[in-house]
Structures are given as structure tokens and as C-alpha cells.
Amino acid sequence: MSGLTSLGRVRGHILPSIPVLEDNGRLVGMVTLTDVLKLHPDQRGTAKVGFVMTKEIITTNPDDSLYTAFDKMTNNQIGRLPVVESGSSSKLIGIITREDVWRVYNI
């Protein structure tokens, strides 16, 4: 496998999204499985990440409550949120998933 055909495969696991970062750690996009599946199969091995990635990203920061993060996920029908530093740097410091929130609330 090469290019985007191998996207999301890490040690046998399929990841539904992967953050795209600048060299300084600033989050500039996310490539999701949905993004890749929109491509014609012939393009998946050669498409550039910058072309495929979602650029308008919904994020949360460490100061947001779990409720706020979960609300963002629910309202936008997404299963995970990048956690970025507060302020203008948009430096990625983690990813929170619906499952993380469910685990805390024992849902």
C-alpha cells in the first residue's frame, strides 16, 4: 500500500481520522476515512494530503468541559475532537473521542 491507501492503518488498527500538522505542531487539517472514500479508487495512491484533508476543523481546548466537547461532537456529528492549546497557536496536544467521554460518565 502507498499514499492514502495506507491511511489510517497503524499496526493493524484502522484509524478513522489523522491530524495534519505543520512542523511547529500547529493543526492545519484532518484526513478522515470519509475524505479518502470520496476519492476515486485510482486517485487514492497518488492524492496529496493537502488536497484531501478537511481544513475547517472543529476543535476543543483543555479548558473546555467534557460536556462542551461532547456537545461539539454531537452537534457536528463527529466522533472525535482535536484538543489544541488555548490561544492562537492551534498546537495539537491530544484528541478526545466520544468513547473517552462515555468512559468518564460510565454511559
Side-chain angles (χ1 to χ4, degrees):
M1 280 192 261
S2 65
L4 292 175
T5 56
S6 62
L7 178 77
R9 292 189 180 272
V10 178
R11 294 187 185 158
H13 299 282
I14 295 178
L15 303 175
S17 62
I18 297 177
V20 180
L21 309 175
E22 289 183 338
D23 289 338
N24 62 3
R26 183 175 156 304
L27 182 67
V28 294
M30 294 285 287
V31 178
T32 67
L33 208 45
T34 302
D35 294 331
V36 175
L37 293 174
K38 288 178 185 175
L39 292 171
H40 187 277
D42 294 341
Q43 295 177 309
R44 293 181 188 157
T46 58
K48 303 293 183 191
V49 171
F51 173 75
V52 176
M53 72 181 183
T54 300
K55 295 175 182 123
E56 297 196 16
I57 313 155
I58 299 160
T59 63
T60 193
N61 66 59
D63 299 324
D64 285 343
S65 69
L66 283 177
Y67 177 83
T68 298
F70 189 72
D71 194 49
K72 287 180 182 181
M73 285 185 254
T74 303
N75 288 336
N76 293 285
Q77 299 178 351
I78 54 180
R80 64 208 28 79
L81 283 176
V83 180
V84 297
E85 285 182 348
S86 300
S88 61
S89 74
S90 294
K91 183 175 181 182
L92 181 69
I93 56 176
I95 295 177
I96 188 168
T97 67
R98 284 185 187 178
E99 290 80 12
D100 294 331
V101 176
W102 292 340
R103 194 172 35 249
V104 169
Y105 288 117
N106 294 313
I107 296 175

